[in-house]
Amino acid sequence: MGSYKIRRLNLPQLVIEMLEKQHLNSCKDVLSHSKLELQTLLGMNRYKIDSLWLEVCRKCVSTPQTAYDIYKSQQSSVSNGFLQTTLHALDLLLQGGLPFRNITEITGPPGVGKTQFSFMLSILTALPASMGGLESHVIYIDTESAFCAERLKAIARSKFPQLLMQEDETIKILKRIFLHKVNSVHDLKEILPQLETEVIRNNVKLIVFDSVASLVRKEFSSEGMSSLMERNKLLLELAATLKDLAQTYNLVVFLTNQIASHITEVDSILPVDCISDDEDNGTGKNY
């Protein structure tokens, strides 16, 4: 448990910021210093350091939870079980919409409307609560330079005509959507460690990744075994990070993927037995 992130502990935000400023990002980082050293680094009195030390130690020797404890915790933390798409037939098919605490992947051929659907989900998340939205922030990761703010604004005003008369509300929606343009695997590896901090600071309730496999296809084009292993490792790391964020912070992760004529396990972030080779229709899957 030494690698457990400090920002996830039940500590005041000011204390967390002080620790991170001193590059004390995990329980191990804190416990590698004596209490006197921590007093000097943080400028805190002995009683506050004792309290901090105790909280960190408790996490490092935490007792196992039962499956029932985890189940009850998950049930109580989900105030809104699904992000509804406003498409009645699709919400019905998904048994309520896109589930929080999960990753949803939608696949389909180019031009089927995956990016436009991603825009719509972003709008619904950023939309004011008075209009049926979550009034929360979105992290949008674009790997194909397909993001267009003007198009997103047009979709918002088309779907919600009342925004035509409320320019201020339209601006607020656009400001709630944070865009990362990722053009290489190197770029992706740089932003992955930052995502958790952005989620915490900005009350993020939706992460969109458009699209998953296109990025790795561009850089791992060879058919050699080493290339396949690198691709698989990257996708597994990405899946683990996104799944952890979804469950820890009760948010929706939405991925898009293009269907090819032949799909291998590394083409998707989902297991191979969950993937369809059908090129004619887009499909959506949760896990």
Side-chain angles (χ1 to χ4, degrees):
M1 298 299 291
S3 61
Y4 196 87
K5 299 297 184 183
I6 286 296
R7 66 174 71 99
R8 295 189 182 182
L9 296 178
N10 187 28
L11 296 172
Q13 183 61 33
L14 179 60
V15 174
I16 292 174
E17 291 175 359
M18 291 171 65
L19 289 167
E20 291 184 337
K21 188 176 181 180
Q22 298 297 331
H23 306 291
L24 303 176
N25 300 309
S26 68
C27 292
K28 181 179 179 181
D29 293 337
V30 174
L31 296 179
S32 64
H33 292 77
S34 68
K35 292 183 180 181
L36 182 59
E37 288 173 331
L38 289 174
Q39 277 187 262
T40 303
L41 283 172
L42 304 177
M44 297 167 62
N45 63 45
R46 179 169 60 86
Y47 301 103
K48 290 183 179 179
I49 291 297
D50 285 343
S51 177
L52 168 63
W53 188 273
L54 182 60
E55 182 68 27
V56 173
C57 288
R58 281 174 178 166
K59 189 60 196 179
C60 288
V61 294
S62 60
T63 56
Q65 289 182 293
T66 67
Y68 180 73
D69 292 334
I70 296 172
Y71 169 76
K72 292 296 291 182
S73 174
Q74 290 177 347
Q75 291 300 307
S76 63
S77 66
V78 180
S79 57
N80 182 5
F82 298 93
L83 171 59
Q84 294 185 339
T85 68
T86 70
L87 301 173
H88 178 70
L90 181 57
D91 286 335
L92 189 63
L93 181 65
L94 295 174
Q95 300 181 353
L98 305 187
F100 284 83
R101 304 176 65 89
N102 280 277
I103 298 176
T104 299
E105 180 184 51
I106 187 169
T107 62
V112 78
K114 299 185 295 296
T115 296
Q116 182 164 310
F117 187 62
S118 299
F119 286 174
M120 190 63 210
L121 293 177
S122 300
I123 293 165
L124 292 170
T125 303
L127 201 68
S130 60
M131 295 184 187
L134 299 182
E135 205 163 330
S136 299
H137 290 80
V138 178
I139 294 176
Y140 197 110
I141 302 171
D142 176 24
T143 68
E144 297 184 310
S145 298
F147 187 89
C148 176
E150 191 62 39
R151 177 60 178 154
L152 188 145
K153 179 180 178 181
I155 292 174
R157 288 188 162 184
S158 174
K159 182 69 175 179
F160 303 96
Q162 58 268 49
L163 290 175
L164 289 170
M165 305 299 294
Q166 302 180 45
E167 181 66 21
D168 289 346
E169 286 296 340
T170 304
I171 292 173
K172 287 180 182 178
I173 290 173
L174 296 178
K175 285 185 174 181
R176 291 186 183 121
I177 301 172
F178 299 96
L179 175 66
H180 284 286
K181 282 189 173 290
V182 177
N183 297 314
S184 66
V185 170
H186 175 74
D187 292 344
L188 177 60
K189 289 182 177 180
E190 279 198 336
I191 71 162
L192 278 182
Q194 304 172 17
L195 291 182
E196 185 173 22
T197 301
E198 292 184 28
V199 167
I200 295 171
R201 287 178 178 172
N202 301 307
N203 184 32
V204 171
K205 284 300 176 184
L206 172 67
I207 296 177
V208 175
F209 201 116
D210 184 24
S211 74
V212 182
S214 63
L215 186 65
V216 292
R217 285 197 189 109
K218 288 186 289 187
E219 298 205 24
F220 300 102
S221 57
S222 66
E223 298 297 330
M225 181 57 68
S226 62
S227 178
L228 288 176
M229 291 177 66
E230 286 185 54
R231 290 174 67 182
N232 201 35
K233 180 181 178 181
L234 177 67
L235 290 175
L236 288 173
E237 180 184 350
L238 174 62
T241 299
L242 295 178
K243 183 73 171 180
D244 184 53
L245 290 174
Q247 293 187 336
T248 303
Y249 299 105
N250 188 32
L251 52 85
V252 175
V253 175
F254 179 72
L255 313 174
T256 71
N257 201 351
Q258 291 186 5
I259 286 184
S261 58
H262 177 70
I263 295 181
T264 63
E265 183 175 357
V266 293
D267 283 328
S268 173
I269 207 162
L270 296 178
V272 68
D273 57 0
C274 293
I275 302 172
S276 168
D277 282 330
D278 181 11
E279 286 191 322
D280 297 326
N281 298 296
T283 59
K285 307 175 184 68
N286 298 321
Y287 88 113

